[in-house]
Amino acid sequence: MHCKRRKISHQQIKLNSLYYGFPVALISSWNQTEKSTNITPISSVWSLNDQVVIGLGTNSQAFQNLFETREAILNIPDKSLWRQIEKISNTTGKEKVPNYKKEKGYSYCPNKFQLGSFTKEAAKYVRPDKIKECPIQIELKIEKINSRKDFAIIEAKILASFVERKILKTNQKIDNQKWHPLLYKFREYRSDDLSLGFNFRYQED
């Protein structure tokens, strides 16, 4: 007996964004002029071994900070923090807000920790503050910046990773049953509470 195949049909469309399901992260960067930490929500980030690759607009305060200091922190939030992240999503650390951002409703915010009700936590190897509420915090050294027209692909090396104890197993591995990352899917915040199966390398993590 043959199973009936589901009919599949595709349509070519123009997508304004390609956020088909990316993890949300918060970059902490050091503003040398203000001597303070800036927070920037991003969703263009991936990692491999001890390297992290970040996509970032070159007209942002975060990019200016990373370009000048060559250090950052990648704070990884869980699903509980989406409202706090949304509070700072339309703000910028640039006092002179670029016109294209003004048109999109952005405004200057000198203290995103206060606006988002986040708690500063001192880093171990870099100057920016970590975000205490984020269950995973990764301190980074910027190694290479590949500039494009209006964005940059930034390569960084992991200096240290910190994980909240409540999501760790006794063997210091992350417990997937307790860790629920925040995902950005076509501009909607989502999470991953349903387990469907495991990769053959699952035990390595």
Side-chain angles (χ1 to χ4, degrees):
M1 183 176 179
H2 296 285
C3 295
K4 188 176 180 179
R5 289 190 176 182
R6 178 172 64 91
K7 186 177 179 180
I8 301 174
S9 177
H10 294 84
Q11 181 176 335
Q12 182 176 339
I13 65 170
K14 186 182 186 316
L15 292 170
N16 292 324
S17 67
L18 202 59
Y19 296 113
Y20 45 80
F22 290 82
V24 176
L26 298 169
I27 291 183
S28 294
S29 60
W30 183 252
N31 186 321
Q32 297 212 86
T33 303
E34 302 293 333
K35 305 299 181 189
S36 63
T37 298
N38 183 54
I39 304 173
T40 305
I42 64 167
S43 58
S44 297
V45 59
W46 60 275
S47 62
L48 187 64
N49 294 331
D50 66 344
Q51 301 291 307
V52 170
V53 179
I54 299 165
L56 199 61
T58 54
N59 210 10
S60 66
Q61 185 63 46
F63 174 77
Q64 182 178 328
N65 294 346
L66 298 188
F67 186 84
E68 292 176 353
T69 67
R70 303 287 164 149
E71 57 186 22
I73 297 171
L74 195 65
N75 303 277
I76 312 296
D78 63 15
K79 64 178 184 178
S80 70
L81 297 175
W82 79 266
R83 287 185 178 86
Q84 289 169 255
I85 294 169
E86 183 61 16
K87 279 185 179 180
I88 68 170
S89 65
N90 64 345
T91 64
T92 175
K94 274 187 174 290
E95 190 168 358
K96 187 176 180 181
V97 182
N99 288 332
Y100 81 94
K101 283 196 170 184
K102 281 183 181 177
E103 292 171 2
K104 292 182 179 180
Y106 282 77
S107 61
Y108 169 62
C109 178
N111 191 338
K112 296 181 188 178
F113 277 95
Q114 184 178 47
L115 181 62
S117 300
F118 293 118
T119 306
K120 292 181 180 181
E121 186 173 28
K124 189 170 183 179
Y125 300 105
V126 295
R127 280 171 291 181
D129 294 300
K130 296 185 287 187
I131 300 173
K132 190 170 186 177
E133 288 77 9
C134 289
I136 300 176
Q137 308 156 331
I138 305 168
E139 298 186 21
L140 302 172
K141 176 185 177 183
I142 307 304
E143 294 192 321
K144 191 174 181 180
I145 297 177
N146 305 285
S147 295
R148 300 294 192 267
K149 182 180 179 181
D150 54 2
F151 69 92
I153 298 170
I154 300 167
E155 299 176 35
K157 182 178 181 180
I158 296 173
L159 299 177
S161 300
F162 302 88
V163 179
E164 190 174 358
R165 287 188 175 90
K166 75 175 184 180
I167 64 169
L168 287 174
K169 299 178 183 178
T170 54
N171 62 357
Q172 292 196 331
K173 302 294 184 181
I174 291 178
D175 188 338
N176 281 346
Q177 300 301 313
K178 296 177 180 178
W179 166 234
H180 302 295
L182 181 61
L183 304 177
Y184 196 50
K185 191 166 94 173
F186 290 108
R187 303 197 187 282
E188 178 187 17
Y189 296 105
R190 304 280 298 186
S191 193
D192 69 334
D193 291 353
L194 182 64
S195 176
L196 302 176
F198 298 94
N199 178 262
F200 74 100
R201 297 180 64 182
Y202 171 72
Q203 294 300 330
E204 294 180 20
D205 293 331

